[in-house]
Amino acid sequence: MGEHVHVRVQDGMDVSATGQLVETYRCRCGDTWTKIYPVEGGARDGLPG
């Protein structure tokens, strides 16, 4: 069996109650990720799941 490589496909985009942009990604294996862009700028990767 081959090695699995995660392919992150954008799953959605939303704005939180505090004004942060929240992007969600998924892989066909079921893993998910969240990327949050704070109001002040920059980006922070969330934890899987």
Side-chain angles (χ1 to χ4, degrees):
M1 187 172 208
E3 188 176 316
H4 176 73
V5 176
H6 289 292
V7 177
R8 292 183 186 196
V9 177
Q10 190 172 24
D11 193 37
M13 192 178 299
D14 200 2
V15 176
S16 72
T18 58
Q20 298 173 320
L21 176 64
V22 180
E23 292 181 316
T24 55
Y25 299 87
R26 63 176 171 75
C27 179
R28 65 181 174 179
C29 74
D31 279 351
T32 60
W33 298 267
T34 302
K35 192 169 201 176
I36 300 170
Y37 296 90
V39 176
E40 296 81 27
R44 186 184 83 210
D45 282 327
L47 298 173

